[in-house]
Amino acid sequence: MAQVEFLFPIPVYIEEDLIDEKENKLLHDRIRQLSSSIPKGGKEWNCNTFTSKDTYDLRDDKTFSNVINKVTHHVNAFAKTYASDWEYKLGTGWFNVSQKNSYQEYHNHADSSFSAVYYVSLPPGSGEIVFRSGEDNMQSLRGMVEYNRINSTYWGFEPVERSLMIFRSSLQHMVKMGINKKPRISLALNY
């Protein structure tokens, strides 16, 4: 009898309501304050999103301590899905502030095992996060009746505010251009 085996699955871990609204507001306000007082980072990127990558280390700011601890807990829980009992620790972390028409091109996070995104603010019209498989440059399947998580080479998520997404750092991802009128704010954390 024929059987289907799944090789090299690509799991994405999602946790909603990571922190309460009060703490989330503190993060929001701190990021808005910082984004008007520190230089833009991420010089290697070709996007128009404000990022504190390489200009501000979240590990040095106590405002982010609790959320970092919670994300670290979830990263280590997700690592068990891979049968890894290593204790992963935060290597780098920054915030992103996306205004209307902001986007982030495809990229991955080299020199890390897991990457996490925590969504501080997601106003209506915010760009969704899109992941792409390594098959995106291969010959497409023909006669597709519908796209699903098995046959797609791209998959987008519309996350919710105060949610967390964790994935392997090698997974290519991007953020679509948003039409949001208020800032879309996220934390990027690499383990």
Side-chain angles (χ1 to χ4, degrees):
M1 171 171 271
Q3 64 184 29
V4 174
E5 295 286 339
F6 287 93
L7 301 176
F8 318 116
I10 303 173
V12 174
Y13 181 104
I14 300 171
E15 173 74 14
E16 293 186 7
D17 298 324
L18 184 69
I19 59 175
D20 64 34
E21 291 179 14
K22 182 178 178 183
E23 183 178 356
N24 194 69
K25 172 108 171 63
L26 291 173
L27 293 180
H28 179 276
D29 293 347
R30 180 69 175 138
I31 291 168
R32 296 294 288 158
Q33 173 196 22
L34 289 167
S35 64
S36 64
S37 64
I38 64 170
K40 180 181 178 186
K43 303 293 185 208
E44 70 276 19
W45 289 339
N46 296 312
C47 68
N48 59 355
T49 295
F50 181 92
T51 180
S52 68
K53 184 179 186 300
D54 304 321
T55 61
Y56 193 83
D57 191 338
L58 299 182
R59 295 175 297 181
D60 297 333
D61 189 326
K62 290 181 182 176
T63 308
F64 299 95
S65 295
N66 187 49
V67 73
I68 288 170
N69 288 338
K70 287 188 176 208
V71 171
T72 301
H73 167 78
H74 285 280
V75 166
N76 284 295
F78 185 41
K80 292 187 182 346
T81 302
Y82 290 92
S84 173
D85 65 358
W86 187 261
E87 186 179 338
Y88 293 90
K89 296 181 192 269
L90 180 62
T92 58
W94 60 87
F95 62 82
N96 301 298
V97 179
S98 302
Q99 304 293 343
K100 182 178 182 181
N101 298 325
S102 291
Y103 64 92
Q104 172 69 60
E105 75 271 16
Y106 275 108
H107 65 285
N108 61 14
H109 298 258
D111 301 326
S112 297
S113 297
F114 293 100
S115 292
V117 181
Y118 173 73
Y119 295 95
V120 177
S121 175
L122 284 165
S126 291
E128 67 181 3
I129 187 169
V130 178
F131 297 96
R132 79 175 170 191
S133 78
E135 293 185 5
D136 68 311
N137 61 354
M138 302 298 291
Q139 176 68 39
S140 296
L141 295 172
R142 297 189 174 122
M144 300 297 296
V145 177
E146 70 174 337
Y147 287 95
N148 59 43
R149 292 173 193 234
I150 295 173
N151 64 22
S152 295
T153 57
Y154 302 86
W155 199 265
F157 286 95
E158 288 186 27
V160 296
E161 200 165 282
R162 297 188 302 119
S163 68
L164 170 68
M165 295 184 85
I166 306 169
F167 47 92
R168 288 299 311 272
S169 300
S170 59
L171 184 57
Q172 290 275 319
H173 57 285
M174 59 91 75
V175 177
K176 285 185 174 180
M177 184 180 293
I179 56 170
N180 45 300
K181 293 185 174 141
K182 292 183 178 178
R184 174 193 193 273
I185 300 173
S186 62
L187 303 181
L189 305 162
N190 291 311
Y191 291 80

